[in-house]
């Protein structure tokens, strides 16, 4: 009887905690998954653009380039993105620890 009472009390406490938890919005979930791609990336020498800073803006992965141009990246799947307006294919390259360390733009690694 005592065991059943403890289990019932524990069950009720768990229900109260989960009911009071803030709902996890889809936008927040999308931002969390995109946050792995944020950061500042230096480009290959000899190009007019010297860096690209990737940020999340209005729930979208956005690249702010050193030439003051802003591009919105659309995720296709996994680490593969496109910039539809520029007809650019973007692939993020990860190191062995699964951290994004490089960007391949139309096959050119930045």
């Amino acid at each position: 009887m005592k065991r059943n009472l403890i289990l019932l009390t524990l069950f009720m406490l768990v229900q109260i905690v989960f009911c009071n938890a803030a709902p996890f919005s889809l936008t927040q979930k999308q931002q969390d998954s995109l946050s792995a791609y944020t950061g500042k990336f230096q480009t290959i020498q000899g190009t007019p653009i010297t860096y690209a800073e990737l940020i999340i803006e209005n729930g979208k992965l956005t690249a702010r380039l050193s030439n003051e141009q802003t591009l919105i990246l659309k995720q296709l799947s996994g680490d593969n993105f496109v910039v539809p307006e520029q007809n650019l294919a973007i692939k993020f390259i990860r190191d062995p620890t699964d951290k994004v360390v490089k960007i391949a733009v139309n096959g050119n690694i930045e």
Side-chain angles (χ1 to χ4, degrees), residues 10-80:
L10 182 60
F11 177 75
M12 289 173 53
L13 285 174
V14 169
Q15 293 299 315
I16 291 170
V17 169
F18 283 116
C19 288
N20 291 331
F24 192 75
S25 69
L26 185 59
T27 303
Q28 183 63 42
K29 187 175 181 180
Q30 289 171 332
Q31 285 187 331
D32 289 345
S33 67
L34 292 176
S35 66
Y37 304 106
T38 60
K40 196 168 187 177
F41 297 87
Q42 186 175 359
T43 60
I44 296 173
Q45 293 178 349
T47 63
I49 300 170
T50 57
Y51 71 86
E53 183 177 12
L54 278 79
I55 60 169
I56 300 171
E57 192 170 68
N58 298 322
K60 297 178 181 179
L61 188 61
T62 304
R64 290 187 180 162
L65 308 179
S66 58
N67 67 358
E68 299 183 14
Q69 186 177 11
T70 300
L71 305 173
I72 296 175
L73 285 73
K74 180 181 175 192
Q75 190 171 26
L76 295 177
S77 66
D79 293 336
N80 299 302

Side-chain angles (χ1 to χ4, degrees), residues 73-94:
L73 285 73
K74 180 181 175 192
Q75 190 171 26
L76 295 177
S77 66
D79 293 336
N80 299 302
F81 289 76
V82 294
V83 180
E85 298 82 21
Q86 301 288 327
N87 198 26
L88 293 174
I90 309 287
K91 179 167 179 65
F92 289 88
I93 312 296
R94 296 178 182 267

